[in-house]
Amino acid sequence: ATASAEAVTGSYQIAIQNLAAQQTLAVRNVFASTNEAVGTGTLSFTFGTTGYTKHASDNTSDTYDSFSAKAGVETKTVTISNANSSLTGVRDAINAEKIGITASIIGSEGAYRLVLMADATGAENGVQISVSNDGDGNNTDGNGLSRLAFNSSVGTANVYQTSGATDAAFTLNGLAFTSDTNTVSGYIDGVTLTLKETAATTETLTITDNKVGIKSAIDSFVEGYNKYRVAL
């Protein structure tokens, strides 16, 4: 916790039930090299809340339950042409557009996969991916650019969620709050909280007057004033 001059003295009981997190998606297809062609067409990214059920042990049995678009946020598009249709090219094209998604390639020789992570934390900052695939005209199959589709039409067949977008959940003096980031302000006057980890116990935050700092400031003022008087 950090406090500004506007902070009011007092004591607060804080408990953290959940931290805000980013959504991470993994493309199921394994590529033999980073230069292997993925496909051409258009990728459309819509941000919002993803309803997703993760299977206990088998991600192929995960289910894509629902999606609700975030109000006021436009769908972002990335065009993939023959010039950037390789795995590396697709990654770089997504990152170059700075749409709020960071793409990376993970793996080793002969087995590379594309991973997509939302830049922002919070439940409303998950992403739905729709594809307009050149070539076969099928936007949900396991060929071409369709392999990057993640929406209600294709479900989890081509892409699955490895980490969900979540809000932070915490209580202050027994009152429950949520936040889309782990840095929260406005809940306690003049105080900013940085949520670090969840805990089963409640912590106490005590805000007191900075008497040492106040005394030091007064002493400095008096010393400076006296030097000013002597100079006169």
Side-chain angles (χ1 to χ4, degrees):
T2 57
S4 69
E6 288 74 31
V8 179
T9 60
S11 183
Y12 301 87
Q13 300 296 314
I14 302 175
I16 304 171
Q17 292 82 36
N18 196 63
L19 294 178
Q22 300 142 291
Q23 184 187 49
T24 303
L25 305 175
V27 175
R28 292 190 185 279
N29 194 87
V30 177
F31 296 85
S33 82
T34 58
N35 294 321
E36 183 177 340
V38 180
T40 59
T42 303
L43 297 170
S44 297
F45 298 86
T46 304
F47 292 89
T49 304
T50 303
Y52 193 95
T53 302
K54 185 176 180 64
H55 190 272
S57 58
D58 178 16
N59 60 54
T60 62
S61 298
D62 291 357
T63 59
Y64 188 106
D65 303 321
S66 63
F67 182 80
S68 177
K70 187 175 182 179
V73 178
E74 295 182 354
T75 295
K76 310 294 178 62
T77 60
V78 178
T79 300
I80 307 298
S81 65
N82 287 324
N84 58 3
S85 64
S86 69
L87 185 60
T88 298
V90 171
R91 177 200 64 189
D92 293 346
I94 293 172
N95 292 338
E97 292 297 325
K98 301 185 184 303
I99 59 174
I101 295 290
T102 297
S104 58
I105 297 172
I106 295 177
S108 58
E109 186 174 351
Y112 298 95
R113 297 177 67 179
L114 188 68
V115 173
L116 305 170
M117 176 180 282
D119 294 341
T121 58
E124 283 193 314
N125 293 315
V127 67
Q128 171 186 267
I129 307 172
S130 298
V131 175
S132 179
N133 188 41
D134 293 342
D136 62 8
N138 189 327
N139 298 325
T140 61
D141 63 6
N143 300 314
L145 206 62
S146 299
R147 289 174 286 184
L148 274 64
F150 180 72
N151 54 60
S152 57
S153 297
V154 69
T156 66
N158 296 342
V159 176
Y160 68 99
Q161 179 176 280
T162 60
S163 177
T166 59
D167 286 338
F170 60 101
T171 58
L172 291 174
N173 289 359
L175 299 176
F177 298 99
T178 60
S179 169
D180 60 1
T181 73
N182 291 314
T183 301
V184 297
S185 58
Y187 297 90
I188 302 174
D189 287 342
V191 176
T192 298
L193 301 173
T194 301
L195 310 182
K196 297 286 190 179
E197 61 183 28
T198 60
T201 58
T202 298
E203 301 292 338
T204 301
L205 171 66
T206 302
I207 302 171
T208 60
D209 285 329
N210 183 6
K211 295 180 180 179
V212 173
I214 294 172
K215 182 178 184 301
S216 176
I218 293 173
D219 289 344
S220 296
F221 172 78
V222 171
E223 181 181 358
Y225 179 74
N226 289 336
K227 287 181 179 179
Y228 171 75
R229 289 191 61 191
V230 171
L232 292 177

